[in-house]
Amino acid sequence: MRQYMTLLKSYSDSSVGLVPPVAQALYFRLFLINNRAGWTEWFGATNQRLMLEVGLNSAHTLIENRNLLKRLGFIDFKQGKKGQPTLYRLNDMCEEKGALNALNTAPQTAHIYRQETMTKTKKEKCKKTCNI
């Protein structure tokens, strides 16, 4: 059984400025599901359940944010087969492997996220001015 406070602290220390809001909501929902499961190493959750609990309408958004959490080293998952839930594992970022993975990929990911956000904002402004 993991010490959930250690896991929560390692996430909060490692995620500052790197994880967008939807991915944060997804991580904390996985955290709560694992808590309900009794802190097993691997626990299951369907995409539909996660979408409902996080408040998402798009499976694509869920998968995109889940993949980001995996790239940053916060989670690992094994895709479920048809009729089976995906299995998730929450990684302790204090462990050497997770911390090194986050340090190597996080700045680039944060830059990409900021760039995507800025591009969306510019497109929205352009649409508003073009429609007037």
Side-chain angles (χ1 to χ4, degrees), residues 94-106:
C94 291
E95 294 174 1
E96 185 178 340
K97 182 180 176 188
L100 289 174
N101 185 24
L103 289 173
N104 290 335
T105 61

Side-chain angles (χ1 to χ4, degrees), residues 57-89:
N57 295 323
S58 166
H60 175 75
T61 302
L62 172 73
I63 292 166
E64 185 178 82
N65 284 278
R66 176 179 69 190
N67 290 341
L68 173 61
L69 289 171
K70 183 173 182 170
R71 278 194 311 272
L72 291 172
F74 293 110
I75 67 168
D76 196 8
F77 64 89
K78 298 175 187 174
Q79 185 67 44
K81 296 179 180 169
K82 189 171 184 170
Q84 299 290 326
T86 298
L87 296 178
Y88 292 91
R89 180 178 64 194

